[in-house]
Amino acid sequence: HFKERSGVNENTVFNCSKAKSSSTPLFFGLPTKVNYCSMVIPTVAYNDHCAAPLMLASRLMSTSFLHREVREIGGAYGGGASWSTDGLFSFSSYRDPRRSATFDSFKESIEWCAKGSFTKQNLDEAKLSLFSSIDSPVSPSKKGLSQFSDKISDDDRQRFRTRLRDSSKQDSHAFNYNIALRDAV
C-alpha cells in the first residue's frame, strides 16, 4: 500500500533532508531480507486529558494485538505501539519479513482498540504493566532532568497517574475512534 500511494519501490532513494518535513507516507527501500517498519501519528501532549488513555491504548495494542499479529503470525522479532510525552503515537517492528502487511496490522490494531475488542482483563493487565514502569524508582538526576526538559511537574505526573488509573474501556474506545479517523492512517 505504501509503495502504491507514494509511488516508490524498493530501489528508490530519498534525500533525508526533504523526508523530515514530509507528511506523506515514505518508503526507504534497503537491500535486506528483513524490515524495520514504523508509523507515527501526532496526537496530544502529556497534560492533555486524553494522554493517559493514549498511553494505555498503546500498551493494549502492543500486548493484546500487535504481539500476536506482527510477531507470532508475521514472523517479526518484535514490534508494538508506544505513546510519548510529546504526543507521538508510534508503531514499530524490527527484523520483520513483511512490509505492507505489517502496516496493515498497525492500522488494524487501531480499529481493534477503537471497537473495544479487548477484555477487562486485557485492560487491567495493560494498566498494571504501565504502572510497573511509571512507578519504578527514578534517580534524583533523572527526575530533575524530566522536570527541566519535559516540563512535567510532580503534580502533572500525579494527574496523569490518576487519569491512567481511572481510564476505562469507554475512554479507550473514544480516543481510538479519533485516531482511526486521522488522515495519517
Side-chain angles (χ1 to χ4, degrees), residues 35 64 66 77 88 101 104 106 118 124 148:
N35 303 285
S64 300
L66 291 170
Y77 274 33
L88 296 178
D104 290 342
F106 294 162
F118 51 90
D124 292 341
F148 176 75

Side-chain angles (χ1 to χ4, degrees), residues 1-15 18-19 22 24-30 99-100 103:
H1 293 102
F2 280 82
K3 287 193 296 186
E4 296 165 10
R5 289 192 349 203
S6 59
V8 299
N9 61 42
E10 288 86 357
N11 300 314
T12 303
V13 177
F14 288 94
N15 177 336
K18 290 181 183 176
S22 176
T24 59
L26 297 176
F27 174 79
F28 294 87
L30 300 173
R99 282 190 194 131
S100 62
F103 287 104

Side-chain angles (χ1 to χ4, degrees), residues 142-155:
K142 186 165 177 149
K143 184 177 178 182
L145 181 62
S146 175
Q147 289 177 341
F148 176 75
S149 63
D150 297 332
K151 309 285 190 261
I152 299 172
S153 69
D154 289 337
D155 289 340

Side-chain angles (χ1 to χ4, degrees), residues 75-169:
Y77 274 33
S82 63
W83 174 85
S84 62
T85 58
D86 59 356
L88 296 178
F89 198 100
S90 307
F91 297 88
S92 63
S93 72
Y94 60 95
R95 296 194 54 86
D96 190 343
R98 306 181 312 161
R99 282 190 194 131
S100 62
T102 295
F103 287 104
D104 290 342
S105 293
F106 294 162
K107 294 172 190 176
E108 289 166 10
S109 73
I110 295 171
E111 293 300 320
W112 171 86
C113 200
K115 289 177 183 173
S117 301
F118 51 90
T119 65
K120 182 173 180 351
Q121 181 177 349
N122 296 143
L123 187 68
D124 292 341
E125 288 172 359
K127 283 183 184 183
L128 285 172
S129 174
L130 285 171
F131 276 115
S132 72
S133 63
I134 289 172
D135 290 343
S136 62
V138 178
S139 69
S141 63
K142 186 165 177 149
K143 184 177 178 182
L145 181 62
S146 175
Q147 289 177 341
F148 176 75
S149 63
D150 297 332
K151 309 285 190 261
I152 299 172
S153 69
D154 289 337
D155 289 340
D156 294 334
R157 199 172 311 283
Q158 185 56 46
R159 274 192 296 279
F160 186 87
R161 289 182 82 261
T162 301
R163 288 179 184 142
L164 182 59
R165 182 197 66 211
D166 295 341
S167 293
S168 67
K169 191 170 184 173

